[in-house]
Amino acid sequence: MRQAILGLVILCTLFAIITQTVVFEVVSRQQIRGESLLNNDETLQRIETELNSYIHGIIVKMQTIYNEKQLVYDMRHADKKHKKRTDHYWDAWHISEKRFDASDQLLAMYIYDNNDNLVSSFRKQPYNYSYDLYKTEQYVNIAHLKSFLDSEDYAVVLSGYHNEEADQDVVRFMMKLHTYDGDKSQFGYYICDFGSLNIADIMSKYISSRDVYVWLQPQGDAAIAQVGNTTKEESKLFTGLSKMIATSSEEFPEFEDEYGAFYLNSRPSEKYNLHIVMLTPQSLMMHTQSALARTLTFIAIFIILGTLFLGILMSEYIYRPMAQLNKTIKKIKNGNTDLRAKTDGWSEELKVMGEEFNEMLDRMQQMVKEEYEAKVFMERTQYKVLQAQVNPHFLYNTLDTMSGIAASQDCTLVSGLCQSLSAIFRYSLNISDTQSTLQQEMAHVRNYLYVMDVRNGNTVKYTYQIDSDTLDDNIPRITLQPIVENALQHGLRNTRRKDKELIISSKHENDKLVITIEDNGAGMDAAAMNEQLEKADIGRIELGRSIGVMNVNARVKDVYGAGYGIHYESIPGEGTKVTIVLPIVREGEDEQRIGETIIAAKSEQEIAAKNEHVMTAKNEKGKAVKNESVIETPA
């Protein structure tokens, strides 16, 4: 089975890989073409964004010419002033020094009036650049300048030319000088020639290969900046395309996506009269396709290895439930009866088999537990039969007779003692009703304290602070007497102070009955006691292993829930305070409502306590069970 699954997985994987390879060969070229054109468009967009930022910075610096107030004033009033041209001979030089940095690569600056008369000029290399653009034999692209001056456009316009003397491409910024009133009266124009290296650097930043050729060309003018290496075919394409842009006067021409063995992307600038064009050899994309093919081969090998590993894991997963069931059966056979078969496998048949097997083991274990509990119950019953041989009525009648004889002999102390003992036995041995009122509980406590005073002498002061509203509240029978007995035996008895006092109080607080029993005795380890009380070991109580305070606490939590019970507070050498928290249950209230309140108050700790009882009973298997009647003593 495992080999069949592994072979099926491998065949499916090989089929998928072959199909993927065929599909890749068919669609990869078209996909690479589309992605390449898209990536090139994004590249041109980034180039345009940075170029716009660079050009804007240059224009801002050029506009600072308006801060030269004397120059601007004289040019505006040139007809009236009749100043000499030499008056502003150094103005262009001062502007270049103050307004431009060396990194701007300013090569020349020309300031003309409306009559094309040179007002001022600056040349970084005087031998390579003309003093006056209109009086030179060099080619300085005067035609594009005149076209700009004849237009109604007041925005900054870019053009360019190649300076033969300096063997350098020049980028020219042309700006008309005018007033900023409603007429926009022109009083001259301003020309700055820059090196194209800054623009070339911006374009080079976004080009991944020198085989990609990019150039910047104003509309109706020659290219002003180029980046990349060109082949013979690429140079031919560049010549033809740049001519199309140079001869277009109104709109940029529309280009195809492919020209021979090259992809072409072009983008006209939205702000300036510029056009960015990119030629990308298709061979670069083929290199990408080859790299993708190698990557695909590597992935195919990885998938095959991963498939083998996955097939092994899958076959192991399919076979695992049967192996685990077989292993579990062997362990149970060797005596580990607590084990159970897992039923979370993939096979529904194995799942049903495991569930039936576990159910059979549970039934066997339940039968063993029931047999053990029956044996324990029989032993406890035999013990109670021996206890029942003493007739309670014999005790009542005898104590009443003793009380009558003592009264007739004027022995009031003995008579009162007999009456108190009779009431204590009658109250304690009446197991027909598990509930009592706080008033009845206090009467039982008073009888007990009377007997203890007769035994020990009147050495303890008793203070009762019982709210009348709490007397009719129901509480479990014999709740207070074991705690009072602990206070006397382990608190007040172990102290030598003269002012021994026991205070019993009750009140309603936060819709609960709160009873406190406080003494000023020797004190105790309250933390250890509270830890035992929190456990509420109902198993020990049911097996007759504990009575007294633990008994009372366990019965309260069992009846009312984990939110109620007993809590100790103590300071060694100063005294102990016991707080009993119970729900307010009145005698005669609707029993169904009371029952719903008690059930809602119980928590999941009740289930945990019962489970712990079962485990305790199992651990006690084979041991003799003895009933111990001792009062819990504080730790």
Side-chain angles (χ1 to χ4, degrees):
M1 180 187 294
R2 298 177 66 178
Q3 293 178 352
I5 295 173
L6 188 61
L8 178 63
V9 171
I10 293 175
L11 288 177
C12 291
T13 304
L14 290 176
F15 176 77
I17 291 174
I18 294 173
T19 304
Q20 180 183 5
T21 304
V22 173
V23 172
F24 174 78
E25 291 294 334
V26 172
V27 304
S28 60
R29 181 178 295 274
Q30 187 66 25
Q31 185 176 0
I32 290 174
R33 174 184 179 277
E35 291 180 356
S36 299
L37 293 174
L38 180 61
N39 290 336
N40 291 342
D41 284 338
E42 294 176 353
T43 300
L44 293 183
Q45 184 177 1
R46 290 192 290 269
I47 292 175
E48 180 194 0
T49 300
E50 188 164 349
L51 281 176
N52 289 342
S53 177
Y54 168 76
I55 294 171
H56 177 73
I58 296 297
I59 292 174
V60 169
K61 291 182 179 182
M62 291 180 64
Q63 288 175 342
T64 58
I65 192 174
Y66 288 101
N67 294 333
E68 304 295 329
K69 296 181 180 180
Q70 187 63 46
L71 172 64
V72 172
Y73 180 82
D74 291 344
M75 290 182 67
R76 291 181 60 186
H77 302 86
D79 296 337
K80 299 178 182 179
K81 294 286 182 178
H82 299 290
K83 283 200 171 187
K84 299 178 181 179
R85 293 171 56 189
T86 56
D87 291 345
H88 298 287
Y89 182 85
W90 296 105
D91 283 4
W93 185 86
H94 290 306
I95 293 173
S96 67
E97 289 292 323
K98 289 189 298 183
R99 310 301 182 184
F100 294 92
D101 301 327
S103 59
D104 294 329
Q105 298 185 13
L106 178 63
L107 302 177
M109 179 184 300
Y110 304 94
I111 303 173
Y112 289 92
D113 61 15
N114 284 337
N115 297 320
D116 299 332
N117 296 319
L118 182 67
V119 177
S120 181
S121 68
F122 159 79
R123 294 165 297 157
K124 187 176 182 179
Q125 299 175 358
Y127 297 103
N128 295 330
Y129 292 89
S130 302
Y131 171 74
D132 189 343
L133 297 177
Y134 294 103
K135 297 178 180 180
T136 180
E137 295 181 356
Q138 295 183 12
Y139 172 74
V140 291
N141 200 3
I142 293 297
H144 203 72
L145 173 60
K146 291 182 177 181
S147 176
F148 163 68
L149 295 176
D150 294 338
S151 68
E152 299 295 330
D153 190 3
Y154 282 91
V156 175
V157 174
L158 280 72
S159 67
Y161 71 98
H162 183 74
N163 189 298
E164 297 290 343
E165 300 294 334
D167 192 19
Q168 187 174 13
D169 289 332
V170 177
V171 179
R172 175 171 292 168
F173 287 73
M174 300 178 293
M175 181 175 70
K176 294 179 180 179
L177 301 177
H178 58 84
T179 60
Y180 280 89
D181 51 14
D183 296 336
K184 283 190 176 182
S185 176
Q186 181 177 337
F187 56 85
Y189 51 96
Y190 181 30
I191 301 171
C192 289
D193 289 348
F194 297 90
S196 63
L197 185 59
N198 286 340
I199 294 179
D201 289 341
I202 292 174
M203 294 190 295
S204 299
K205 186 189 304 183
Y206 298 95
I207 304 305
S208 58
S209 173
R210 296 297 298 178
D211 293 332
V212 178
Y213 193 72
V214 183
W215 72 89
L216 186 68
Q217 186 172 359
Q219 182 179 2
D221 199 358
I224 60 176
Q226 301 94 25
V227 173
N229 301 324
T230 57
T231 61
K232 183 177 180 181
E233 183 180 1
E234 204 166 7
S235 298
K236 185 177 180 180
L237 281 174
F238 167 71
T239 301
L241 295 173
S242 61
K243 184 177 181 180
M244 292 176 61
I245 298 174
T247 55
S248 62
S249 57
E250 297 182 358
E251 295 183 357
F252 288 111
E254 295 288 339
F255 295 124
E256 301 292 336
D257 291 337
E258 293 187 31
Y259 284 85
F262 297 89
Y263 295 130
L264 185 139
N265 295 82
S266 61
R267 182 178 182 87
S269 175
E270 297 179 357
K271 294 184 178 181
Y272 307 105
N273 61 322
L274 295 175
H275 205 87
I276 309 173
V277 186
M278 175 184 291
L279 282 176
T280 306
Q282 294 183 6
S283 58
L284 291 178
M285 303 300 104
M286 295 303 102
H287 290 313
T288 304
Q289 185 179 18
S290 301
L292 289 175
R294 291 191 297 270
T295 303
L296 183 63
T297 303
F298 174 77
I299 293 174
I301 296 174
F302 178 78
I303 290 176
I304 292 175
L305 296 177
T307 303
L308 289 173
F309 179 72
L310 181 62
I312 294 173
L313 291 181
M314 185 179 296
S315 61
E316 180 68 21
Y317 170 77
I318 295 173
Y319 183 72
R320 186 185 303 165
M322 180 63 71
Q324 288 181 344
L325 181 60
N326 187 28
K327 186 177 180 180
T328 302
I329 292 174
K330 289 182 179 179
K331 289 184 177 180
I332 295 174
K333 178 181 177 182
N334 294 331
N336 193 352
T337 56
D338 291 334
L339 285 179
R340 292 294 182 269
K342 293 184 178 180
T343 58
D344 55 352
W346 62 275
S347 175
E348 187 66 25
E349 292 80 5
L350 292 178
K351 182 177 179 180
V352 173
M353 184 185 300
E355 291 175 351
E356 295 294 334
F357 181 73
N358 291 340
E359 184 178 353
M360 179 188 67
L361 292 177
D362 292 339
R363 289 180 181 177
M364 293 175 60
Q365 195 170 31
Q366 183 66 24
M367 291 172 63
V368 172
K369 187 178 80 170
E370 291 175 355
E371 181 182 357
Y372 171 73
E373 291 178 350
K375 182 179 178 181
V376 173
F377 178 74
M378 183 175 293
E379 292 178 354
R380 293 173 60 185
T381 302
Q382 291 174 354
Y383 181 76
K384 291 181 179 179
V385 169
L386 293 176
Q387 287 181 323
Q389 291 178 358
V390 180
N391 192 336
H393 295 285
F394 173 75
L395 292 175
Y396 305 156
N397 296 335
T398 302
L399 289 173
D400 288 340
T401 302
M402 291 173 62
S403 176
I405 294 172
S408 65
Q409 298 295 328
D410 293 330
C411 295
T412 57
L413 181 61
V414 176
S415 176
L417 181 62
C418 290
Q419 290 179 0
S420 294
L421 284 173
S422 177
I424 290 173
F425 285 137
R426 185 177 290 107
Y427 188 81
S428 300
L429 297 176
N430 183 13
I431 60 175
S432 61
D433 189 3
T434 60
Q435 294 289 317
S436 181
T437 63
L438 179 59
Q439 185 173 6
Q440 293 171 341
E441 275 288 296
M442 287 303 301
H444 178 63
V445 169
R446 288 176 182 270
N447 286 326
Y448 170 75
L449 292 176
Y450 176 77
V451 173
M452 296 303 295
D453 275 351
V454 172
R455 290 181 56 192
N456 302 327
N458 296 322
T459 59
V460 181
K461 176 184 176 182
Y462 305 112
T463 302
Y464 305 99
Q465 300 173 353
I466 308 299
D467 288 355
S468 58
D469 294 341
T470 64
L471 291 176
D472 293 332
D473 291 352
N474 278 10
I475 65 174
R477 181 180 290 272
I478 312 180
T479 297
L480 304 183
Q481 183 268 332
I483 301 174
V484 171
E485 183 173 353
N486 258 10
L488 293 176
Q489 297 294 332
H490 306 290
L492 297 171
R493 184 178 180 181
N494 296 329
T495 183
R496 295 182 179 181
R497 63 192 309 163
K498 302 278 187 188
D499 57 340
K500 298 179 181 180
E501 184 178 8
L502 182 69
I503 303 173
I504 303 176
S505 63
S506 68
K507 61 181 178 180
H508 288 162
E509 184 177 328
N510 298 328
D511 295 330
K512 294 181 181 179
L513 172 61
V514 180
I515 304 171
T516 59
I517 300 173
E518 187 173 1
D519 66 76
N520 57 354
M524 60 176 293
D525 186 355
M529 189 65 175
N530 290 328
E531 184 178 355
Q532 295 184 45
L533 293 173
E534 284 295 326
K535 295 180 180 178
D537 192 356
I538 192 65
R540 290 176 58 86
I541 305 303
E542 292 181 355
L543 290 174
R545 296 302 178 91
S546 176
I547 60 176
V549 178
M550 295 296 179
N551 185 306
V552 173
N553 181 69
R555 285 190 291 116
V556 168
K557 289 185 178 294
D558 185 55
V559 174
Y560 300 116
Y564 303 96
I566 300 173
H567 181 76
Y568 271 78
E569 299 177 17
S570 181
I571 300 176
E574 296 185 13
T576 301
K577 180 180 179 181
V578 182
T579 303
I580 308 171
V581 181
L582 299 169
I584 300 176
V585 181
R586 295 296 178 89
E587 188 175 10
E589 289 187 353
D590 181 52
E591 295 183 357
Q592 182 178 0
R593 185 182 64 81
I594 295 173
E596 292 176 354
T597 303
I598 293 175
I599 291 174
K602 288 188 177 183
S603 66
E604 295 182 355
Q605 293 182 358
E606 179 180 4
I607 299 174
K610 290 184 178 180
N611 291 336
E612 188 174 355
H613 161 60
V614 173
M615 295 304 298
T616 303
K618 183 186 297 183
N619 294 333
E620 294 292 336
K621 182 178 180 181
K623 296 182 179 179
V625 178
K626 298 179 181 180
N627 290 322
E628 303 172 0
S629 298
V630 295
I631 297 176
E632 290 288 334
T633 58

